[in-house]
């Protein structure tokens, strides 16, 4: 069978289980699916082919100020001023500062703030702005000066 120019095969290996195989470029993909009908197995294989042929999503640059919420930007400024701390008790970690912890954790996930190199020894330590975070702050300061 052929779907979007990709030739694929479906074979029943036991009642309710199907084996499939197809090639995209030089890569051969194989797998199994469990379903009672051949038409459903066929649809699942075509959906898998569609997913693999779909172009990857375009990622926006997170270093721009415009990708941060106001709360996240204020949290980044507070971290740069040295007002944000990470504390741990046992296995629980908390981020504290003059802003909400959701914004702080979002900055950690965006790699805009991080732990200091020697921080793990202490139960309470200051968070540091990363190189990417400094670039975000500088970009925002540049747009603010350009508006004046």
């Amino acid at each position: 069978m052929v779907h979007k120019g990709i030739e694929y095969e479906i074979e029943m290996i036991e009642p309710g289980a199907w084996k499939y195989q197809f090639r995209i470029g030089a890569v051969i993909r194989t797998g199994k699916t469990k379903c009672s009908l051949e038409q459903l197995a066929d649809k699942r294989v075509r959906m898998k082919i569609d997913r693999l042929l779909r172009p990857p999503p375009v990622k926006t640059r997170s270093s721009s100020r415009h990708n941060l919420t106001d709360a996240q930007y204020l949290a980044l400024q507070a971290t740069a001023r040295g007002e944000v701390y990470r504390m741990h008790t046992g296995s629980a970690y908390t981020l504290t500062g003059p802003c909400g912890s959701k914004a702080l954790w979002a900055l950690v996930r965006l790699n805009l703030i991080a732990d200091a190199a020697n921080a793990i020894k202490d139960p309470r330590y200051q968070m540091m702005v990363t190189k990417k975070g400094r670039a975000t702050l500088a970009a925002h300061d540049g747009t603010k000066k350009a508006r004046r």
Side-chain angles (χ1 to χ4, degrees):
M1 293 178 262
V2 177
H3 177 67
K4 293 189 177 181
I6 306 296
E7 192 171 322
Y8 65 97
E9 300 173 5
I10 299 174
E11 179 184 335
M12 182 188 289
I13 51 178
E14 63 182 49
W18 303 83
K19 179 174 74 170
Y20 63 86
Q21 177 177 336
F22 58 90
R23 176 192 304 252
I24 297 181
V27 179
I28 297 175
R29 304 277 181 158
T30 61
K32 296 177 185 177
T33 184
K34 289 189 173 195
C35 55
S36 57
L37 301 173
E38 182 179 7
Q39 291 86 0
L40 185 56
D42 183 63
K43 182 177 180 177
R44 288 180 180 175
V45 172
R46 286 185 280 124
M47 288 172 59
K48 181 142 184 93
I49 291 170
D50 289 342
R51 272 194 307 273
L52 292 171
L53 292 177
R54 188 178 309 136
V58 177
K59 293 186 177 183
T60 58
R61 298 185 74 183
S62 61
S63 63
S64 166
R65 153 68 178 115
H66 303 290
N67 291 341
L68 298 179
T69 65
D70 289 338
Q72 290 170 344
Y73 183 70
L74 293 173
L76 186 60
Q77 286 180 323
T79 306
R81 289 190 306 265
E83 299 172 356
V84 175
Y85 291 90
R86 184 170 182 169
M87 298 183 300
H88 62 90
T89 55
S91 62
Y93 287 92
T94 58
L95 290 174
T96 59
C99 45
S101 67
K102 283 186 180 181
L104 292 169
W105 284 110
L107 294 177
V108 170
R109 285 190 298 277
L110 291 170
N111 196 26
L112 297 178
I113 65 174
D115 300 329
N118 60 352
I120 303 301
K121 301 176 206 167
D122 302 323
R124 181 176 188 256
Y125 49 90
Q126 195 174 18
M127 295 295 288
M128 305 301 292
V129 178
T130 63
K131 184 177 180 181
K132 187 176 174 183
R134 285 191 300 274
T136 301
L137 284 171
H140 177 63
D141 291 341
T143 58
K144 193 174 185 181
K145 288 178 185 176
R147 287 186 209 159
R148 290 182 193 172

